[in-house]
Amino acid sequence: MRYIPHTEHDIQAMLAVLGADSVEDLIRHLPEALRQNAGLDLAPGLAEPEIIQRLTAFAEQQTGYSPERSFLGAGAYPHLVPVVVDQMVQRAEFATAYTPYQPEVSQGTLQVIFEFQSLVASLLGLEVANASMYDGASASAEAVLMAKRILPKRSRILVARSLQPQYRQVIQTYLDGFPGLSLVELGWDETGRLDQEALAQHLDERVCGVAVGYPNVFGVIEDIAAISRSAQDAGALTLSVTPESVALGILKSPGELGADIAVAEGQSLGIPLSYGGPGLGLFACRSRYVRNMPGRLVGETVDQEGRSGFVLTLATREQHIRRERATSNICTNHGLCALAATVFLCLLGKQGLRELALRNVKSSHYLAEVLQQAAGVQPRFPSPFFNECVLTVPRARRVWARLKEQGVIAGIVLEDWYADLRDCLLVCATELHTREAIERFGQQLRQAVV
Amino acid sequence: MRYIPHTEHDIQAMLAVLGADSVEDLIRHLPEALRQNAGLDLAPGLAEPEIIQRLTAFAEQQTGYSPERSFLGAGAYPHLVPVVVDQMVQRAEFATAYTPYQPEVSQGTLQVIFEFQSLVASLLGLEVANASMYDGASASAEAVLMAKRILPKRSRILVARSLQPQYRQVIQTYLDGFPGLSLVELGWDETGRLDQEALAQHLDERVCGVAVGYPNVFGVIEDIAAISRSAQDAGALTLSVTPESVALGILKSPGELGADIAVAEGQSLGIPLSYGGPGLGLFACRSRYVRNMPGRLVGETVDQEGRSGFVLTLATREQHIRRERATSNICTNHGLCALAATVFLCLLGKQGLRELALRNVKSSHYLAEVLQQAAGVQPRFPSPFFNECVLTVPRARRVWARLKEQGVIAGIVLEDWYADLRDCLLVCATELHTREAIERFGQQLRQAVV
Amino acid sequence: MKTPTRTPGPGKRTMLNEPLISARGSVGRVGYALPRDDIPERGQARDLPVELCREALDDFPEVSEGEVVRHFTRLSQWNMSAATTLYPLGSCTMKYNPVVNEYMARLPGLAQLHPLTPDDQAQGALMLLAELERCLAEISGMDAISLQPAAGAQGELTGMKLIRAYHQDRGTARKKVLIPASAHGTNPASAALCGYDVVQVATGSDGMLSADAVATCTDTEVAALMVTNPNTLGLFEREILQITDMLHQHGALVYMDGANLNALMGVAKPGHMGADVIQFNLHKTFSTPHGGGGPGAGPVGVKNILAPYLPIPRIAHKNDTYTWSDTAPKSIGRVRSFYGNFGILVRAYAYILAMGGDGLTHATRMAILNANYLRKRLESVYTLATHEPCMHECVFSDRSFQQTGIKTLDIAKRLLDYGFYAPTIYFPLVVSGALMIEPTETETKETLDEFADALLAIAQEITDQPDLLKQAPFTTPVSRLDETRAARRPVLRWSRSSDS
Amino acid sequence: MKTPTRTPGPGKRTMLNEPLISARGSVGRVGYALPRDDIPERGQARDLPVELCREALDDFPEVSEGEVVRHFTRLSQWNMSAATTLYPLGSCTMKYNPVVNEYMARLPGLAQLHPLTPDDQAQGALMLLAELERCLAEISGMDAISLQPAAGAQGELTGMKLIRAYHQDRGTARKKVLIPASAHGTNPASAALCGYDVVQVATGSDGMLSADAVATCTDTEVAALMVTNPNTLGLFEREILQITDMLHQHGALVYMDGANLNALMGVAKPGHMGADVIQFNLHKTFSTPHGGGGPGAGPVGVKNILAPYLPIPRIAHKNDTYTWSDTAPKSIGRVRSFYGNFGILVRAYAYILAMGGDGLTHATRMAILNANYLRKRLESVYTLATHEPCMHECVFSDRSFQQTGIKTLDIAKRLLDYGFYAPTIYFPLVVSGALMIEPTETETKETLDEFADALLAIAQEITDQPDLLKQAPFTTPVSRLDETRAARRPVLRWSRSSDS
Ligand SMILES: Cc1ncc(COP(=O)(O)O)c(C=O)c1O
Ligand SMILES: Cc1ncc(COP(=O)(O)O)c(C=O)c1O
């Protein structure tokens, strides 16, 4: 077997050292009733060309995912991924290392994470960022639990209903059974932003935090500054949740607007869509809360000769030391995705991320404009949005299906996620959507609505 | 520009050091008449996604190259390439280094070449191999020139007409103008092997060498032992030329059969077809001829602490030292392809290369058998062949065209290469040709011949 | 620029320093280009009011593409990795990560697939997931699988949520979870995240969990036992059947930590041991790369009784068509967005295809052979944590060298000089100064021998030159780092002022 | 196994030794699997008589896939490369090799295309080649291009064959080729391969070729001049127009070595300088990786008078269809199989697409700026070979330190300790102890400054600690190697006996 080196001769030589007659001898101590002799009911092993053939056949069944014909966003975004990103991710020294327990021979990974933390902190406008979480959704849930740890006497978390529904679901799952914390949902107003009246109404001394999408699921840019002022007045924390990190290339940072904890999904930063995973949870907070933070942290220090170097640090928050009292159960995080995002952010740099964000603004607004040329199609909310928006489309579901038959995926039918938002499509355009593709979509929509 | 780092600020700072006002100043010494101001008439530069799009469009115009429908060999062979090969070739430390002039910081490349030389020498059954040539064809030409260097008084080289025609053409080109050496072609007999009578007739004291394909262009396995006995009797050298290296996994090595110089095309050893290039010229000879050998050589030595290490050696044969008296003009060779072949040969190893060769024998003989079920189709030569063979097919050109319309590439019409071989197809099958593909071809041929 | 001093060292190495990327670059330099903008000009202010816009990303690098390549290529070389040396981290199963899996995960039809693509246009992806579920069920002996959890710990969390949902469904909100002292830290942390009180169960001096010990803790308040089998000492829990039976009799369930599944494939099925739920660490048993800390994947497998509670969405299969189904009224909900770490799942599936049933069984058997072999080669010099026969890893304690002042840490550091990554140290906590070695099945006998020879040589050094060990490593990019300082005065990011 | 000794070194590095692959492995071990064999059993003996078959491949390795990965990954780390550091090899143009080009060359429709695929099924590949020909013609100012030659030297050979064919066609088999003393070794070697007598033309003390010097050698026996412009001292040949005019008047042709085209793009066209034929080194100017010594690509460009002689096959274009055409009765024939190093051509084309006309011009200008900058920073301490203004590279001689006993070689070796690859040394031969530096346009000002600082520091070391230099390098995988021994007692391969 090409992955397993032992020859029969090797095995015999090793058994001889062990004084055993057979490998069987080594597992004879297992209870008889459990020993399995039938073998596994799986197909025989394949050679490499066969694996490639098999999986290529799977891959080729996928159709219609190209930005030429798909206008899907809603929590996962097609973006350019410079090939250098993938080249670095494929460096075996990065890919096949473990969590950097022995820092002396893991400085590569450690320095990358340190750089990642620096970039994320800067992007989110907060003082410290951790070494990554699984994804934006679970990072949101961890942020909510962290708010509770910071304000342990408080028992409620307010969550905007306009936060990407899967994120809300994950928060809900994490909260189920978590003692002393319940979730209250807050609606949106006619602008598509968090309903400030509802917020005012619910913000009391029982509330440990307010979690809101930035942008929210409608692509609308929430007024984090206003929310955080209200939250602060009530002694609560503001949690900003960004499912589309590219937006932060142009939007004011959550930290600068008053957020205490900010999380984001980093998939847009150089990580392929890959049917939704792996993604990358970005997590940052004010430095005074660092000891309540979940996840790993890398810090700078010096070696015995005074050379600068990096180590995992503040580990007393973590499960392998604190066990049931840890700030989180997370162990393996998304290190290689953090590398991808770091390479991506270095390539784009100061100028590029901003330019990329602006291009997304432009493409999606052009998309909205073009689509509005179809009869009865209108923006659902009159607010600034980033790269996706909600359009009212008469008989949206039927129109969506008609377009699909023509090979266009017209975003999602929002009613599937919000029963009260009927006849709405959520559509997205990024830098990968060409003018031609947008205009073709516009034309097909015009035909489809009639 | 993403590949060129200088900002306007950098440029000004550098110009200041130079005491120049502009970059223009630096080229003002060029003759006015030559200075070009109009710019280059090329399209504006593209971003990465655009390049990918453009070249993917080119790539997708290619159809029908899959071994499912193509039975082309004739000098280039579809074979499995373990992905590890490509992964190693992509290691930037290998790919972006130069010829290892500074051995202390090039031991990676040097050790790989040393291993390559060892494997090639062993494969070809000779004592020394060089660090690679461009391809099998130019290696053949270099071998011919080398024979002349070894036997400078002799003026003729005998070349089998059944040697892959492009190889013969390249030898001819290299010989044109080369003083004192002319090429004589020898035909084949009814078995498809070199015509021994013709050989005997031409082998005299004017002949420095006999060059023959092993296998030849018909896939037929030449009798190198007999040829080299005759050559030796005449004081001439035997040059063996293998366009399909996988064959050497099972065939007796040229060296063991008496060849003095053996060359081969290494494309089959882990190098993609890539429309015919880059390939890999393998070159080996008896050690007594090493100083007449073209190309680079890596040798083992020790450093100041006695550690083993590798260096370029015996460079006094080469152009950078010997200039017009060098054994060859070759400088850049095919180092990265040599790495690919080394990785390939290590993965397959002792057992794998043999098994691979046998599988090729099996597939191609099954192919021949299946195709012979078609009316009038017969083997042209009654000799053992490796993975390709010549079949007599009534109205071959028309049949070939008909099959092509059905999406099958039925090898090549041999008449295009040998006007005297009418109604013959040269077809090939390797380990990548499945039984299904072979049988489908057989069925289509049966229909096409009628 | 520092002047290199004259210090010839052993072995072959490269020697390139590399500062933080923030120390590179020049104002206005770029490493990218966007595609041509052919969309009619609209004016940013019209689309996005300037008051919503941030200032420039001040701390961001400005570097060329070539600088980026050099930076990360250089950094990569400072890592040891499974691709460059034996990485015998116990409990982490650092086996060879087949390169073909990397290519498979990058097939455009998989890598570029949007997760909200309509199901009928994603049949290949769905089918692949369905097949992977089937394979994992077969290997583990469980009835149903959810591929959603992103890593082992999230699998544990998911599993504990399932157990909680099960008990709640029966109206009995049990409060306690039993966890052996030897368990991995994620076990108690996950249980606590679900609001359970963790009750630690002592393990015997042989490192095993005894049915008796469990019995003394078991009552009707116990929701579940979390057990790792083989446990973190690499031992097969001898009394596992009695233990799981007993828990079931008390109405409690059994969570089995499947991180050590590499010891069981084709040898024994957790499903037969009484496990009600188990997580798989695909980044261990199923060869997906660890990535310097993820991404992994932590699917869970359950018995039928827990299937109704599995996270949504689930894969449904009808008339040769696969769909995502949300209709599971008893589901615990989602633990992450979309469907799990698809890219990792693809790699694991490719691995299973390559190995086949016999190959996986062989892998397990060779993993066990290798661990036993190392154990044997070392046991006369290093003190075994227990004398029970081991499975896929073996654990030593620091007992035999406690007098010398040498710590397990010193041995680990010295191993780096010998060119090997260190084993897991100080875990499991139940072993004094644990040294936990897991070689995996992909290491050669020669490498195991070299590694054993190194550890034996180090044992000799403990006697002969203890100071050497205390200051090791010597041949690494940096020497021992001041971890106390890192924690006392945390520097967790660069800032412009610290750049100088 | 060697015991590592205590030797902390400077800088960051890895430290893994690696023997020859032949020292790894075990009898019967494999690192591959063939696809399932579903072809009916036929029996080997029937197909291939045993007397044709060889014994086992005795010296071949037997290793697992994981061992192969580790072996080559470790080896790779012992190289310096353009991706890890400045690699200022003069004449070699070690610029940044864009990663995207690697991906493009691997597109299945290009990488898996059989060269004998019928033209109508290979239109994309043909069109790409045709476009690349057009681009190279535009850049160089030549009329026709052949992409066939595999490297610069083969391009030279092709070019000289063209010249020979041209003269023969006119019935005047001229015998001599003029080559300046500063030329690259491939120039005389290529000319000799075509049967020409090489006449060396002296270059002036300013490093330039003078029209006068050429005139003294020029007669009707001269077939051509081979000239490099800018020449190997990095100087633009001031009298190039007079020189080429004069040769043409004598019925001779001009071969221009285009290896230094990186100094000319968008600035001046060889075609305007009187060149009749030129080779391009795509692995230099056009950014394709050098691969530790190839593969490169060495297309030739010619004026119309030489077009009839270009190698076959040529690309023909008719009715929007591209075909390979063999019908060129005056062609010199083929210089290699098929159509050239297609994979390299794809990379070069992708590079041209990325840069565009303006980008290429900018590249040239920045390459010139960088060379001049380094020249300026070093000229007060190192002796310039000539004081003429330089183009894309600058050359120093060992004159200023000849007294000290330090050689150019010592400086080169010491540079390695500073983390840089060494410049080209002892070439061109016309400069005593030449040190030939070509930074290329892709290096940053910061890197150039660090490199200049290193060379200045070394100059100081020459005075202060000359012994240090004589023994350098100290921080490399091995120290100076015994080249004499390598040549005296050549060990050119492993053998079973030497393995021990
Ligand atoms: C025994 C055991 N359980 C659980 C885990 C947690 O898995 P993960 O790191 O994927 O979250 C680990 C990981 O180290 C482990 O070793
Ligand atoms: C000036 C010059 N001419 C010709 C060549 C030969 O090119 P190649 O190495 O591609 O054969 C070189 C290569 O170093 C060169 O520098």
Side-chain angles (χ1 to χ4, degrees), chain C residues 447-477:
Chain C
T447 300
L448 299 182
D449 279 329
E450 285 169 28
F451 177 69
D453 290 345
L455 272 172
L456 297 177
I458 290 172
Q460 193 59 48
E461 290 175 347
I462 295 179
T463 317
D464 299 348
Q465 356 175 23
D467 279 353
L468 196 70
L469 266 83
K470 283 187 201 147
Q471 295 192 28
F474 302 107
T475 59
T476 51

Side-chain angles (χ1 to χ4, degrees), chain B residues 98 331-332, chain D residues 91 151-153 156 184 186 228 257 259 279 281 283-284:
Chain B
Y98 201 75
C331 176
T332 291
Chain D
S91 210
E156 295 172 26
H184 193 262
T186 49
T228 309
D257 183 329
Q279 105 278 4
N281 284 26
H283 43 306
K284 299 183 176 181

Side-chain angles (χ1 to χ4, degrees), chain C residues 150-173:
Chain C
Q154 207 183 32
E156 295 172 27
L157 177 67
T158 307
M160 295 316 289
K161 293 271 179 204
L162 296 174
I163 288 171
R164 200 174 155 277
Y166 166 91
H167 286 303
Q168 272 190 326
D169 209 13
R170 274 158 191 70
T172 57

Side-chain angles (χ1 to χ4, degrees), chain B residues 332-354:
Chain B
T332 291
N333 55 18
H334 277 202
L336 206 61
C337 300
L339 167 67
T342 308
V343 178
F344 180 91
L345 291 173
C346 288
L347 283 169
L348 270 80
K350 188 172 182 168
Q351 180 173 322
L353 196 65
R354 187 184 187 87

Side-chain angles (χ1 to χ4, degrees), chain A residues 6 173 333 335 355 362 369, chain C residues 32 37 42 293 334 370 479:
Chain A
H6 291 345
T173 306
N333 54 20
E355 200 194 343
K362 191 176 176 195
E369 184 176 294
Chain C
Y32 78 100
D37 181 5
R42 305 177 36 88
R334 294 184 156 275
N370 282 358
S479 61

Side-chain angles (χ1 to χ4, degrees), chain A residues 6 24 41 76 86 95 97 102 105 109 135 173 176 248 250 274-276 301 305 333 335 355 362 369 404, chain C residues 32 35 37 42 54 79-80 106 111 113-114 120 138 161 291-293 334 336-338 365 370 413 479 482:
Chain A
H6 291 345
E24 212 51 37
D41 181 20
D86 191 43
Q102 298 292 342
V105 289
T109 291
D135 69 343
T173 306
D176 278 344
L248 299 177
I250 185 64
S274 198
Y275 208 39
T301 186
E305 284 78 35
N333 54 20
E355 200 194 343
K362 191 176 176 195
E369 184 176 294
K404 178 161 163 272
Chain C
Y32 78 100
D37 181 5
R42 305 177 36 88
R54 75 192 294 166
N79 274 0
M80 278 190 181
R106 286 166 172 85
L113 189 62
H114 192 288
D120 59 343
E138 167 61 17
K161 293 271 179 204
R334 294 184 156 275
R336 55 152 293 161
S337 50
F338 307 119
R365 294 163 65 99
N370 282 358
K413 296 302 180 199
S479 61
D482 188 342

Side-chain angles (χ1 to χ4, degrees), chain A residues 67 88 126 418:
Chain A
M88 294 302 115
L126 283 160
Y418 295 94

Side-chain angles (χ1 to χ4, degrees), chain C residues 410-459:
Chain C
D410 303 319
I411 296 173
K413 296 302 180 199
R414 185 61 179 153
L415 257 176
L416 308 178
D417 284 333
Y418 281 82
F420 299 106
Y421 201 82
T424 296
I425 53 176
Y426 302 110
F427 175 75
L429 306 176
V430 294
V431 175
S432 150
L435 197 68
M436 181 192 207
I437 305 173
E438 180 177 8
T440 85
E441 72 280 5
T442 61
E443 294 301 330
T444 64
K445 173 174 182 297
E446 305 89 85
T447 300
L448 299 182
D449 279 329
E450 285 169 28
F451 177 69
D453 290 345
L455 272 172
L456 297 177
I458 290 172

